[in-house]
Amino acid sequence: MVRAGLAPEIFERVRHILATKHNVSDLPNDTRLMWSERLDTIPEGLANKKRARVLYFVGCVGSFFPMVQNVPRSMVRIMQAAGVDFTTLYHQLISFVSNCLRGQSPP
């Protein structure tokens, strides 16, 4: 359908957003951690820790949509209370999505 030009117009808009912003929200990726701003304590290395036992993938919806940002905040509070060594998939995610959209294998 897409190749024949029969896909709904919204498909092209979503494809363009994913290709240029690398997320479904059409927001800049440098705001991907805005959900963490309302945490009592932002964990050290939340976005850039080199090694951790757990890699937490928040995703676009949890990152950018305020109505569900309590989900990643609650998950972080649980992991902090349990003493889990974790970080988030932040900078690596942008590269990963970009590669996937270009049809390349992830690094």
Side-chain angles (χ1 to χ4, degrees):
M1 287 183 67
V2 172
R3 287 187 184 131
L6 302 173
E9 189 176 313
I10 190 69
F11 284 13
E12 178 56 29
R13 175 155 164 66
V14 170
R15 189 202 64 75
H16 176 73
I17 289 169
L18 288 172
T20 58
K21 299 294 176 93
H22 309 294
N23 66 66
V24 298
S25 70
D26 200 17
L27 292 172
N29 277 303
D30 61 357
T31 62
R32 186 171 280 281
L33 288 174
M34 66 183 169
W35 60 270
S36 67
E37 293 170 0
R38 293 186 56 204
L39 285 169
D40 296 332
T41 304
I42 296 176
E44 187 176 328
L46 183 66
N48 59 4
K49 190 186 276 187
K50 296 286 185 201
R51 297 180 65 91
R53 302 250 327 144
V54 173
L55 180 61
Y56 178 42
F57 175 64
V58 176
C60 293
V61 175
S63 293
F64 296 113
F65 295 92
M67 70 283 284
V68 295
Q69 288 179 341
N70 277 332
V71 173
R73 283 193 291 267
S74 294
M75 190 67 199
V76 164
R77 288 182 187 115
I78 290 167
M79 289 191 288
Q80 286 178 306
V84 174
D85 175 27
F86 73 97
T87 190
T88 59
L89 189 61
Y90 178 65
H91 298 293
Q92 303 88 338
L93 177 66
I94 297 165
S95 170
F96 176 80
V97 171
S98 179
N99 286 337
C100 289
L101 288 170
R102 289 193 308 265
Q104 298 174 355
S105 297

